[in-house]
Each structure stands twice: as structure tokens, then as C-alpha cells.
Amino acid sequence: MKNSSLGKSIVVLLIFATLTYCLDARLQACQPSGSIRGIKPPPGQCNPENDSDCCKQGKMYTTYKCSPSVTGNTKAVLTLNSFQKGGDGGGPSECDNQYHSDDTPVVALSTGWYSGGDRCLNYITISANGRSVKAKVVDECDSTMGCDDEHDYQPPCPNNIVDASKAVWKALGIPEGGWGDYDITWSDA
């Protein structure tokens, strides 16, 4: 009887250790890489279009060099961005050095998913609200830097962002009052 109880205890401990290891390994797959201190943007230097955040003086912002693993159904947060000249996206897109109309389904991906440009000009499928849309990856939503002129004095992106044009939001049938942050899934098309 004692051996049976001891055996059950060992099995329970092994299962617990395995679960802890697997969970710990998954969590370690994408930990913050650091932080930057916000600075106050010079007057007129941060475009708040589409409810974009502007850096706050002295606030600490978390940075990431990674994103969660990509699966066939990767969870993410959809945000709104204008890729047009003068829009809140700042300069031209990283992938093609061009601006893109808000009527074109294009996205920027968080640094880890952008993968050094490996997804540039490829399409991803975004699903939400019972619909799906294909959108072209044209830019990086920088998770490693921000609060400077190059990033329009906006904070670094979180590591789970698909930053999308208005065309993507419209194709998903999300009412304009719900635009901003929206839970989605995405996959490589």
C-alpha cells in the first residue's frame, strides 16, 4: 500500500514538474527585453490620429525583441493606423518605402512577427467578428524603440500587435465606434 501511495505521489510530482517546465518554457519564449523612458514630444510632433498614444515625459515603456509564437490561429490585438502620407504611421512603410492608402488592406506587425522583414509584402489572413480579410504586410510596428522623431514620438508597440489600415477594419465589419483595440487571430496566408 505504501509503495502504491509513493508511486502515485511520484507520478503527480512528475506531471506537475512537466507542466511547470512547459508553461515556464512558453512564458520564457517572449519576455520583455528592456524599457525606455518617455520624453515629451516637441509641439506638433506626435500625430494623435486614430487615437494614437503620444509618449509621456518620464513614463517607462516596455520593449520587446520578440512576439508570441505564430500558429495557424495566432491571437493578437488589432490596432488602427494610417499608412498615408501625413498619417499617424509616420514615414513611408519599411517594406517598400511607400505610403499606402487607407482604402488598401495593409498592416504593420510587431517586431517579432515582422521578423526582420521576412514577412514583407506577403499577405496574412486576419479573422474577427465572424469574417476574414487578407492584408499585405508593409511595415513594422516597432516593439524595440519609440518616443523619438523616427517613431513619431509614439511609445513602442506591444509584442502582439497587428496595426491595420481602415480598409482592414471595414472588411472585418467592425463598427467605427469599436475601432481602436480589437482581439483578433491571424495566420500567414
Side-chain angles (χ1 to χ4, degrees):
M1 197 69 128
K2 280 187 175 181
N3 284 343
S4 175
S5 294
L6 179 61
K8 287 179 184 176
S9 296
I10 290 173
V11 169
V12 168
L13 281 173
L14 284 173
I15 291 171
F16 179 75
T18 302
L19 288 173
T20 302
Y21 172 78
C22 290
L23 184 60
D24 191 41
R26 187 174 51 216
L27 291 174
Q28 288 182 9
C30 186
Q31 295 294 312
S33 57
S35 62
I36 59 171
R37 185 177 304 279
I39 60 170
K40 184 178 179 182
Q45 292 297 303
C46 181
N47 185 341
E49 179 184 16
N50 299 320
D51 293 327
S52 291
D53 291 331
C54 295
C55 291
K56 308 270 188 285
Q57 180 73 37
K59 181 175 179 180
M60 297 304 292
Y61 295 95
T62 303
T63 59
Y64 294 89
K65 293 180 182 174
C66 59
S67 292
S69 297
V70 175
T71 66
N73 209 22
T74 307
K75 291 182 180 182
V77 175
L78 190 69
T79 55
L80 180 60
N81 188 36
S82 175
F83 296 84
Q84 295 185 154
K85 188 169 187 165
D88 63 322
S93 298
E94 279 295 313
C95 294
D96 57 8
N97 202 35
Q98 302 289 315
Y99 292 99
H100 298 271
S101 166
D102 287 339
D103 297 324
T104 304
V106 293
V107 298
L109 298 177
S110 293
T111 296
W113 291 334
Y114 180 73
S115 190
D118 288 349
R119 286 193 169 84
C120 271
L121 307 180
N122 291 321
Y123 285 85
I124 63 170
T125 301
I126 302 165
S127 300
N129 199 34
R131 296 186 183 183
S132 293
V133 61
K134 287 187 193 275
K136 186 189 288 188
V137 177
V138 297
D139 209 349
E140 173 184 16
C141 192
D142 199 337
S143 304
T144 65
M145 299 179 66
C147 297
D148 57 14
D149 184 52
E150 181 181 345
H151 298 92
D152 198 32
Y153 292 94
Q154 295 176 10
C157 275
N159 66 345
N160 64 338
I161 297 297
V162 175
D163 204 17
S165 65
K166 290 178 181 179
V168 171
W169 288 85
K170 289 177 183 176
L172 292 172
I174 300 167
E176 280 193 47
W179 291 8
D181 288 359
Y182 200 89
D183 290 337
I184 61 155
T185 59
W186 72 274
S187 62
D188 290 306

